[in-house]
Amino acid sequence: MSPDLWMLLAFAGLLIAGVPVAFSLGLAGAVGILAGLPPAMLATLGTNTYNSIAKYPLIAIPLFILTGLIFERSGVALRLVRFAQALIGPRHGGLALVAVLVCMIMGGMSGSGPADAAAVAMVMLPSMTKAGYPKPFSATLIAASASTAILIPPSVALILYSIVVPGVDLRALFAAGLFPGILAGLALLVPALIVSKCYGWEGGTPVEGAERLKVGETFKQALPALFAPVLILGGLRSGLFTPTEAAVVAVAYGVVIGLFVTREIGVRDLWRLFGEAAVISGVVMLIIALAGIFAWAGTMLGTFRDMAQWIIALTDNGVLLLILIMLAVLAAGMLLDAISIYLILMPILIPVMQHFEWNPVWFGILLAMNIAIGQFTPPVAVNLMVTTEVAKIRLEQTVGWALLFVAAMACALALVAVFPEIALWLPRTLGYNVG
């Protein structure tokens, strides 16, 4: 067998054996080096792991993770829910609409689907259950809506994409993800409202004192949360700070809100949040670091080049090949997290993207939308695992609803694929380099 095949089979075998993705990537890379390069090349393992994470933009990832945790613990989600309930009022599908809107706003703070899903599920699930929504439906809707966090800036996945793909402006990616993220939310909302009306859920009956909530009062309570995305995106647009500096500003703003506005976290709580963010960030950075071994080995062996040439040779029809790539990424998204998918697939897909002259910003958003679908598609649906745990139900109970929302978001993905300007218009208008 060729060294390429040894490396790929080692990676697949380790994954099937249940070895964590990070170690599967590192060990498979080492197998590739031993199979096709001089054993002395193993001395590069330390250098490759260091070089993979010694990149300034990666500082934003742990900071945005910390931002999401701080806002989650500060009672922000509850205030957003109360404001949305007061604004929408009791009606068929009202709480479903609230869940989608709050997930999208929270996604503009955390940049992480699972964190978004956890925060909203803990607040929304009790209300939706009392209003007559089945727990499997509610858990799936929240999981699907939270997946928009990968699109709506700031997005941890888009930060990584900007590092993996040379020459892509992160600000352009952030701007490009906004409208597709909103479109994805609307696509989920349509079937949710139709199903709610068909089954008569919520039937116009006020829930948990929603009739007593005043829009003005709840707006004042939710204003600090609503201002967070404005602060981050406004600062980026004005040039006041870079994306990495925006993460620092977001953390500082979240601390101020939690300590002095909502007063739901204290100094001791901050210490615990720092530790929790460090653990989550450590997992992410470990994947990125050990993926560097896999990437270096694949590059030196020519594995990625050979696979890219094989994909290009499949067909001269760019549209057909794009569809095949999207299906492959969807399948990968059902099994792996977004960070792993970018690190594994992008070295292969970059030559394909360049061959067919696909816009790198537009292509990055398509990949992000596809990975977002995978976050709530069984068997390995990270967002759905979070919400079903909160709801105390089995994952298999959500499969039917998950397929409905997969179809809905797939329609949004198709629209962005057919009309690239949905993603590219805003960054181009703002004067960012879109390639």
Side-chain angles (χ1 to χ4, degrees):
M1 281 195 304
S2 67
D4 316 48
L5 199 55
W6 272 113
M7 186 175 72
L8 295 175
L9 287 177
F11 176 63
L14 289 166
L15 279 182
I16 294 170
V19 178
V21 175
F23 296 105
S24 296
L25 287 167
L27 290 172
V31 168
I33 292 172
L34 286 173
L37 298 171
M41 290 293 100
L42 288 174
T44 63
L45 296 183
T47 305
N48 286 325
T49 53
Y50 173 76
N51 289 339
S52 299
I53 57 175
K55 297 171 182 175
Y56 176 72
L58 285 178
I59 298 173
I61 292 179
L63 290 172
F64 277 127
I65 289 173
L66 178 58
T67 302
L69 290 173
I70 290 173
F71 274 110
E72 179 188 336
R73 302 298 200 285
S74 298
V76 165
L78 178 59
R79 286 165 172 78
L80 287 172
V81 167
R82 286 175 177 170
F83 170 60
Q85 279 186 266
L87 191 65
I88 295 167
R91 64 185 65 193
H92 288 299
L95 285 177
L97 174 56
V98 170
V100 174
L101 289 177
V102 173
C103 280
M104 292 171 67
I105 296 172
M106 287 293 293
M109 302 176 200
S110 67
S112 167
D116 192 358
V120 178
M122 286 187 287
V123 177
M124 288 298 306
L125 276 171
S127 300
M128 295 183 75
T129 302
K130 289 183 180 179
Y133 292 86
K135 283 186 177 181
F137 171 85
S138 304
T140 310
L141 176 63
I142 294 172
S145 303
S147 71
T148 59
I150 203 174
L151 292 163
I152 298 175
S155 164
V156 171
L158 292 182
I159 293 172
L160 187 61
Y161 180 85
S162 71
I163 294 170
V164 175
V165 181
V168 175
D169 187 349
L170 179 55
R171 296 172 304 168
L173 277 173
F174 276 0
L178 187 59
F179 287 158
I182 294 172
L183 179 63
L186 293 175
L188 296 171
L189 189 57
V190 171
L193 291 177
I194 293 173
V195 170
S196 298
K197 190 168 184 179
C198 288
Y199 284 96
W201 298 331
E202 202 176 343
T205 303
V207 180
E208 288 197 346
E211 75 282 0
R212 296 191 297 271
L213 295 177
K214 295 181 180 179
V215 175
E217 180 184 341
T218 54
F219 175 72
K220 289 179 183 177
Q221 294 175 354
L223 190 58
L226 295 171
F227 183 68
V230 176
L231 175 66
I232 296 170
L233 298 179
L236 289 174
R237 174 65 190 98
S238 65
L240 191 61
F241 38 72
T242 66
T244 305
E245 292 165 347
V248 180
V249 172
V251 169
Y253 180 72
V255 169
V256 170
I257 296 302
L259 288 177
F260 304 110
V261 180
T262 65
R263 298 182 180 179
E264 293 196 18
I265 58 174
V267 176
R268 291 184 179 179
D269 297 316
L270 279 179
W271 183 253
R272 286 194 294 271
L273 289 174
F274 290 158
E276 191 174 340
V279 171
I280 298 172
S281 303
V283 173
V284 174
M285 292 301 181
L286 185 63
I287 295 174
I288 296 173
L290 294 182
I293 300 173
F294 187 83
W296 185 84
T299 302
M300 294 300 293
L301 294 171
T303 308
F304 301 142
R305 182 188 65 249
D306 294 342
M307 292 188 71
Q309 290 174 351
W310 176 77
I311 292 173
I312 292 170
L314 286 175
T315 176
D316 292 330
N317 189 325
V319 175
L320 178 58
L321 193 58
L322 181 63
I323 293 172
L324 293 175
I325 290 174
M326 290 297 106
L327 291 174
V329 173
L330 175 60
M334 294 165 61
L335 301 171
L336 299 171
D337 60 279
I339 292 170
S340 302
I341 292 171
Y342 278 129
L343 293 173
I344 295 168
L345 294 184
M346 284 318 298
I348 302 170
L349 295 181
I350 288 174
V352 179
M353 178 178 69
Q354 293 170 342
H355 177 80
F356 286 97
E357 298 182 347
W358 293 331
N359 184 283
V361 174
W362 168 74
F363 188 65
I365 299 303
L366 287 183
L367 289 181
M369 292 187 77
N370 216 317
I371 294 170
I373 295 174
Q375 288 189 332
F376 62 92
T377 307
V380 183
V382 288
N383 289 7
L384 205 50
M385 285 183 176
V386 171
T387 56
T388 52
E389 180 65 26
V390 175
K392 304 299 180 187
I393 58 175
R394 298 190 308 276
L395 185 68
E396 53 266 29
Q397 292 178 258
T398 66
V399 172
W401 296 119
L403 292 176
L404 172 65
F405 293 126
V406 165
M409 193 177 281
C411 292
L413 171 64
L415 283 174
V416 177
V418 174
F419 303 105
E421 285 302 303
I422 295 175
L424 299 180
W425 177 83
L426 183 59
R428 186 175 285 123
T429 302
L430 294 177
Y432 298 139
N433 179 25
V434 295

